[in-house]
Amino acid sequence: QPAFASVEPRYLPGGVEDATGSVDHAAMDEILALQAELARVQEAPTAFKLSEPNIVEIVSTLSQLRLVDVLFTTNGKEYLTPEQLLREVGDEILSHGGRVNVADLPALLNVDLPHIERAVTQLLAAGRDGLQRVGGEVLTEYYLDSLAEEIDTALRGVGRLTLAEVAVAHALSTDFVTSVVESRIGALIHAKLSGGSLFTASYVARHLARVRGVLSALHGPASLPALLKAHGFNEALFYEAVGGLHAAGRLAGTLQAKTSFTPAVHRLAQAAAVGARYEQNGVVEYAALARMGVRDPRAHLAAEHPGGVQLDSCYMSPALVSTAEAGVEEALSGAGAADLRSAFDCDLTDADLVAFAAASASLSAAVGAKRYLPLTASLLVAAPLAAELKERAEALAAEVAKAEHAAT
């Protein structure tokens, strides 16, 4: 066995290029001569063979003289060119299915990490197979395609997958998995991406049917967050389903962003109750409508029952206003005074009574003409009675003053 056989070159260059990239024929001739000399030495008797250290020294010298461009392996018993290292790194990526950790390559190729890093950088620059570096790993496009196909297969079995679960399972970041999935939705991944999760079409359809059933069964206002929690809906799909069903007219009612939903049946029942109360009593308190969930009681009553009178705390029908006006005027014409509060069966505030007097055409005209004088918010006095009372008060005051004067 020749002693030189222990130094096994992975590659011997067929030519030597100078710094400009052209072939140096003189150097080439010298290398060929060295090769011939080495061959003769191999055939010579054992006494004249070169030892392994001699061969290593020769190759090192040639490398230092830049006559050959080679890289020594970690154990120093092999050498290879940068081009060969590129091919071997590429082969390792391929043999690992398109994904390999750069830190694992030195042990696999028996080459120091700095040489591996330079080779990886060159491969990335070349852009072959869509190669990219993610953290300490290099990944190819075909690996990412296979990952997408694997996700699609797993998704068909469970109906729903979170991107965080996929990221953990494949030791990748969630952001990177998101970018991979988004670029392959509809092509390799047949699913819907919403809220950081993937859903199959059948899963989305079942979820939509559940949401529609729950909301259709409502008879009154409901909190959407409470429904979401109570029925275990997926948050992203839930709000998307609610908005879509409402926009399409499949859910009749009022939707308040992501806070509440009031079905139309509740509005109808509410309107019927308010209408019955208005017709029966002739007055509806704003507070009662607010407790029923009406956002703007004044506008609601004016729209549903036009022609009424808006007081400070309630809405009054024209019929009740007319009846109260007649009672007040009758009292004023008879006794010369009237308590507005007694003209109504319902409890009215002072502000309501002031608003009533101002809204009554006959009363406001009489007050303006000074035929009636408002002593308080609820008390109106006819002008003759007021004049009589004034005379009596003045006479009484004069008598009191005269008596006090006589006493002194």
Side-chain angles (χ1 to χ4, degrees):
Q1 176 70 25
F4 182 62
S6 61
V7 181
E8 300 174 353
R10 298 190 190 180
Y11 175 78
L12 286 176
V16 178
E17 296 181 354
D18 59 18
T20 64
S22 60
V23 177
D24 187 342
H25 294 286
M28 181 62 188
D29 292 340
E30 185 175 351
I31 290 173
L32 291 175
L34 285 170
Q35 288 178 336
E37 180 66 25
L38 289 172
R40 285 194 297 272
V41 171
Q42 289 285 350
E43 296 172 357
T46 306
F48 300 100
K49 288 183 179 180
L50 294 175
S51 65
E52 182 175 314
N54 295 141
I55 298 300
V56 173
E57 184 178 355
I58 291 172
V59 175
S60 298
T61 301
L62 291 174
S63 179
Q64 292 172 4
L65 295 174
R66 308 187 71 174
L67 296 176
V68 293
D69 185 11
V70 293
L71 306 172
F72 281 92
T73 57
T74 305
N75 58 18
K77 294 184 177 182
E78 293 179 314
Y79 61 93
L80 70 164
T81 64
E83 293 78 6
Q84 178 65 17
L85 180 59
L86 282 176
R87 285 192 290 271
E88 294 193 10
V89 170
D91 291 342
E92 287 296 332
I93 295 174
L94 179 63
S95 66
H96 283 77
R99 177 184 180 181
V100 66
N101 195 315
V102 176
D104 295 337
L105 292 176
L108 295 170
L109 299 177
N110 198 23
V111 177
D112 289 333
L113 182 59
H115 301 315
I116 299 291
E117 290 284 0
R118 282 193 292 271
V120 168
T121 301
Q122 289 180 281
L123 290 173
L124 291 171
R128 181 181 175 184
D129 295 326
L131 191 68
Q132 56 183 301
R133 185 161 186 169
V134 180
E137 297 180 303
V138 286
L139 292 80
T140 62
E141 193 73 13
Y142 59 81
Y143 168 77
L144 299 179
D145 288 343
S146 67
L147 174 61
E149 292 172 351
E150 182 180 340
I151 292 172
D152 187 64
T153 300
L155 185 61
R156 286 198 297 269
V158 295
R160 173 181 176 268
L161 277 177
T162 67
L163 298 185
E165 292 172 341
V166 175
V168 171
H170 295 275
L172 294 168
S173 70
T174 302
D175 290 341
F176 181 73
V177 170
T178 301
S179 67
V180 171
V181 169
E182 287 178 342
S183 62
R184 290 163 175 81
I185 286 286
L188 296 176
I189 301 177
H190 304 90
K192 177 184 180 64
L193 177 61
S194 180
S197 297
L198 286 167
F199 308 94
T200 61
S202 59
Y203 184 96
V204 173
R206 291 193 302 271
H207 191 277
L208 178 64
R210 289 180 58 215
V211 172
R212 184 172 61 246
V214 168
L215 294 181
S216 298
L218 294 175
H219 295 287
S223 167
L224 294 182
L227 291 177
L228 174 67
K229 182 178 180 180
H231 296 276
F233 292 124
N234 176 270
E235 183 174 356
L237 290 184
F238 174 72
Y239 288 115
E240 185 176 332
V242 172
L245 290 170
H246 185 263
R250 300 291 299 276
L251 286 178
T254 303
L255 179 64
Q256 298 295 329
K258 293 183 177 182
T259 58
S260 66
F261 174 73
T262 303
V265 64
H266 174 74
R267 293 293 188 192
L268 294 174
Q270 185 182 71
V274 171
R277 186 169 184 174
Y278 183 76
E279 294 297 331
Q280 181 179 355
N281 301 326
V283 63
V284 177
E285 296 83 4
Y286 302 137
L289 267 67
R291 289 192 296 270
M292 295 170 68
V294 178
R295 298 186 62 190
D296 190 347
R298 290 174 179 268
H300 175 81
L301 288 168
E304 294 294 326
H305 306 283
V309 178
Q310 291 190 6
L311 302 183
D312 184 68
S313 67
C314 60
Y315 189 80
M316 189 171 292
S317 69
L320 182 58
V321 171
S322 298
T323 301
E325 284 178 342
V328 169
E329 290 184 355
E330 182 179 356
L332 286 168
S333 62
D339 182 7
L340 299 182
R341 200 180 304 278
S342 64
F344 302 97
D345 294 331
C346 56
D347 293 332
L348 298 179
T349 65
D350 287 350
D352 289 329
L353 296 175
V354 172
F356 163 74
S360 171
S362 59
L363 293 180
S364 61
V367 170
K370 296 187 178 181
R371 289 189 290 111
Y372 300 148
L373 301 178
L375 298 187
T376 65
S378 63
L379 182 61
L380 283 179
V381 178
L385 178 59
E388 180 182 348
L389 293 175
K390 181 180 179 182
E391 290 178 1
R392 291 183 178 182
E394 289 176 348
L396 180 60
E399 292 178 1
V400 170
K402 184 177 180 180
E404 290 178 353
H405 180 71
T408 59

